[in-house]
Amino acid sequence: GTAQILGGIMLYELSVPISCGTIRYDESIPTPRFRPFTSIQAGDINNQTEFSLFAHLGSHVDAPYHFCETGKKIDEYEIDSFIFRKALLLDVETGKGGRITAEQIRNQEGVSDADILLLHTGYSKYCFNETVYRDDFPALTKEAAVYIREELPNLKAIALDTMSADGTDGVHTNFANHHVLLDTRDDGVRALLIYENMDFTPVLGTEGFFSVYGIPLRLRGIEASPVTMVAEI
């Protein structure tokens, strides 16, 4: 991430630029492709690029439609859904294969008032190290996902410094955490946005609330989008 001073306010980038080398969840995920459409070097009057990108690659946000056919899509959210005034960084550091528990979250000051939780597992430092980053990375327990959705009514989203709210065993657990957080419920309890592949290194040690902007591309009719996330402190 990068920091910039703007009128006395510090801005910190919490997302990771996307490149052809961006770490993928597994080998089935297509690599980003950047193709010159026009090129000054080739004799054209300008440089223009065509690109193709998997919606869940790199820093991105999942909307409910990702796992729920009746859930909201990215473009169906009002823009203020992606702007947070009470972001809270939680230290839930855990190692390979670790799981964030409901108790870890419940015991941290301010969680009941936060509108987004930035869950720092310690994997921010590995976001460019494929060998470590995608090998049995930490995730939520199902109990933690239930707690986050049911007991924190002010919350609009969570953000993780790992590749998924579910672990590498997601296929075997039917991505239970995603379903808990995203599925439409008969009781009307709102679904949450899920930001994944974030880098919290620039704001480590920050206590209390601050503002975060996690605005996606407004891609119509789909379930996720790349995102640039910025913290304002």
Side-chain angles (χ1 to χ4, degrees):
T2 57
Q4 179 183 356
I5 301 175
L6 186 67
I9 295 171
M10 291 294 292
L11 301 177
Y12 300 90
E13 185 176 354
L14 306 184
S15 46
V16 181
I18 294 171
S19 71
C20 294
T22 295
I23 298 171
R24 297 171 291 159
Y25 183 81
D26 60 34
E27 298 304 318
S28 71
I29 304 302
T31 301
R33 290 187 295 169
F34 300 87
R35 294 180 293 271
F37 182 71
T38 58
S39 166
I40 295 173
Q41 194 172 45
D44 296 316
I45 61 171
N46 59 13
N47 293 314
Q48 298 180 100
T49 304
E50 177 187 1
F51 66 89
S52 62
L53 184 64
F54 183 67
H56 300 264
L57 186 86
S59 300
H60 68 279
V61 58
D62 291 346
Y65 185 61
H66 182 26
F67 274 91
C68 180
E69 193 67 21
T70 60
K72 278 188 176 182
K73 301 167 185 174
I74 284 292
D75 61 296
E76 293 174 335
Y77 277 90
E78 298 295 333
I79 201 69
D80 65 358
S81 300
F82 308 106
I83 296 172
F84 309 94
R85 297 301 184 191
K86 286 194 169 183
L88 190 64
L89 179 70
L90 298 189
D91 180 9
V92 289
E93 192 156 351
T94 183
K96 178 178 176 179
R99 292 293 181 267
I100 303 165
T101 67
E103 205 63 27
Q104 280 180 288
I105 299 169
R106 183 184 292 112
N107 289 339
Q108 300 206 40
E109 186 176 352
V111 292
S112 60
D113 295 319
D115 55 8
I116 184 172
L117 299 179
L118 311 183
L119 301 173
H120 171 63
T121 69
Y123 266 52
S124 288
K125 60 181 173 285
Y126 301 127
C127 64
F128 296 106
N129 183 339
E130 181 174 292
T131 303
V132 178
Y133 193 59
R134 76 177 194 182
D135 180 20
D136 198 12
F137 50 80
L140 294 166
T141 59
K142 186 176 179 181
E143 290 72 24
V146 170
Y147 168 73
I148 286 168
R149 182 162 181 183
E150 295 188 356
E151 304 297 330
L152 300 176
N154 293 315
L155 209 60
K156 299 193 293 184
I158 63 167
L160 294 140
D161 59 352
T162 63
M163 304 199 79
S164 176
D166 288 279
T168 53
D169 59 348
V171 171
H172 303 294
T173 63
N174 193 30
F175 293 94
N177 295 336
H178 276 83
H179 280 290
V180 167
L181 296 169
L182 299 175
D183 283 358
T184 301
R185 288 177 39 160
D186 292 338
D187 60 10
V189 174
R190 54 80 188 87
L192 295 168
L193 294 164
I194 304 173
Y195 291 86
E196 295 167 330
N197 294 312
M198 296 299 155
D199 177 10
F200 301 137
T201 305
V203 294
L204 291 184
T206 303
E207 297 181 355
F209 298 123
F210 52 95
S211 293
V212 161
Y213 306 88
I215 300 173
L217 296 175
R218 299 296 261 170
L219 301 172
R220 192 175 295 278
I222 72 168
E223 79 296 337
S225 171
V227 66
T228 297
M229 179 176 276
V230 176
E232 178 185 86
I233 300 176

